[in-house]
Amino acid sequence: MTHMSTAHRTADGLRIRYAQAGEAPGETVLLLNPWPESLFAWDTIWPRLAKTARLVAIDLPGFGQSERRAELLSPRAMGSFLLRLVDEWELGRPHLVGPDVGTGAVLFAASEDRGRFPSAVVGSGGASFPLEVAGALEDIIEAQDVSAFRGLDGRDIVAGALEGIERHALPAAVREDYLASYGGDRFVESMTYVRSYPTDLPILAERLGDIRTPVQIIAGRHDALVPPSNAEFLHARLPHSKLDILETGHFAWEDGADEYLELTRSWIESHSTAKARS
């Protein structure tokens, strides 16, 4: 049993899975899936965060259970997609919460439309250039091509990745959603996104200094895939940022859910659109 109920809606011509909750007036928060997870990564904090704001969570194109379009599978293209979705769904000026693969997309979106987002929460995603990634993520990015992965069932790859969740007990329905979301060739196809890091991250690095959105960066000190040096790289270059390192591995939003919630909620509240108008 989960706290979240999902539906599908079109954005940029694609069928996008989403969930929404919360009736709080004023603030809207758009939450993006980590990889290889889905929007159910937010199940743990969903009911508590919904007391703060109206929540909309999505599976990005090619991730979770959303339809994919090959040309969107890079942080830069995904940032542009986010701007189109916000316009099409009339979300106004939402706060963005996008850890892991969402990090680059959120920051590209914030660099393209500097006045659109009152705040953002990122981290646990490749951001440094030169690249500073490790383990299976490094193997995927550096592989000459994806042929070695083609014979594998995405479910099995994801099952292995989820062993990195150290403290949080995944509800059976959430775990099954993660596995089902990347079954067959879905995982291998989604790899295209991180394999574009060597091309996109140098461009992002040049743009960080121009981003006006206040950014909360959250990372796990013991992240075996994306070392916290990535978070420090962002913090050193973003004009308005705050860095918090949690005592977790990669999956900080689940293993450190209470801290993650508190940092996210306080960041949104301190950068509310209502405060900006007053």
Side-chain angles (χ1 to χ4, degrees):
M1 190 66 190
T2 78
H3 303 292
M4 302 172 73
S5 110
T6 65
H8 285 81
R9 183 177 176 186
T10 301
D12 195 29
L14 293 172
R15 194 165 179 266
I16 300 298
R17 185 172 69 165
Y18 74 100
Q20 59 183 5
E23 301 300 327
E27 306 307 312
T28 297
V29 182
L30 178 60
L31 301 103
L32 315 179
N33 66 279
W35 180 64
E37 298 185 331
S38 70
L39 53 76
F40 283 107
W42 304 113
D43 185 63
T44 311
I45 68 172
W46 189 253
R48 291 177 285 171
L49 190 59
K51 294 174 183 173
T52 298
R54 170 196 176 208
L55 307 182
V56 179
I58 64 166
D59 286 336
L60 293 165
F63 296 93
Q65 310 249 347
S66 288
E67 197 178 358
R68 70 171 169 247
R69 185 187 299 137
E71 62 264 29
L72 292 181
L73 290 176
S74 75
R76 189 178 183 182
M78 199 68 83
S80 299
F81 166 82
L82 285 177
L83 292 172
R84 292 192 293 274
L85 178 140
V86 167
D87 283 341
E88 282 186 42
W89 290 12
E90 298 180 341
L91 299 182
R93 295 185 65 237
H95 304 262
L96 292 181
V97 179
D100 191 66
V101 291
T103 296
V106 165
L107 294 174
F108 267 112
S111 76
E112 277 188 44
D113 189 343
R114 295 183 199 170
R116 173 54 67 94
F117 307 108
S119 84
V121 179
V122 302
S124 304
S128 303
F129 196 81
L131 289 179
E132 295 184 41
V133 293
L137 180 59
E138 184 178 25
D139 295 342
I140 287 169
I141 293 171
E142 292 190 348
Q144 192 167 355
D145 56 49
V146 300
S147 57
F149 300 91
R150 285 263 174 225
L152 306 173
D153 186 342
R155 286 181 67 97
D156 297 332
I157 300 173
V158 174
L162 296 180
E163 290 176 12
I165 301 176
E166 296 161 349
R167 300 200 290 263
H168 175 63
L170 278 180
V174 172
R175 179 182 171 81
E176 176 54 31
D177 187 80
Y178 292 169
L179 298 176
S181 291
Y182 299 96
D185 70 347
R186 287 274 295 181
F187 182 85
V188 174
E189 293 300 330
S190 69
M191 285 168 39
T192 304
Y193 185 93
V194 297
R195 285 173 59 80
S196 71
Y197 283 4
T199 306
D200 277 18
L201 293 185
I203 299 166
L204 181 61
E206 291 179 5
R207 294 190 182 187
L208 294 174
D210 296 324
I211 292 174
R212 294 292 163 256
T213 306
V215 181
Q216 165 74 65
I217 308 158
I218 305 173
R221 190 181 308 280
H222 312 292
D223 193 328
L225 299 170
V226 184
S229 56
N230 287 269
E232 290 156 0
F233 180 92
L234 291 177
H235 185 47
R237 289 162 178 79
L238 287 165
H240 188 174
S241 66
K242 177 171 173 277
L243 172 61
D244 286 274
I245 308 282
L246 307 188
E247 295 300 327
T248 69
H250 178 69
F251 298 89
W253 47 91
E254 285 165 327
D255 279 336
D258 290 346
E259 284 177 276
Y260 203 100
L261 169 68
E262 216 34 65
L263 289 167
T264 300
R265 184 160 55 193
S266 63
W267 193 249
I268 290 164
E269 287 175 348
S270 63
H271 297 94
S272 73
T273 51
K275 279 188 181 176
R277 285 194 299 268
S278 62

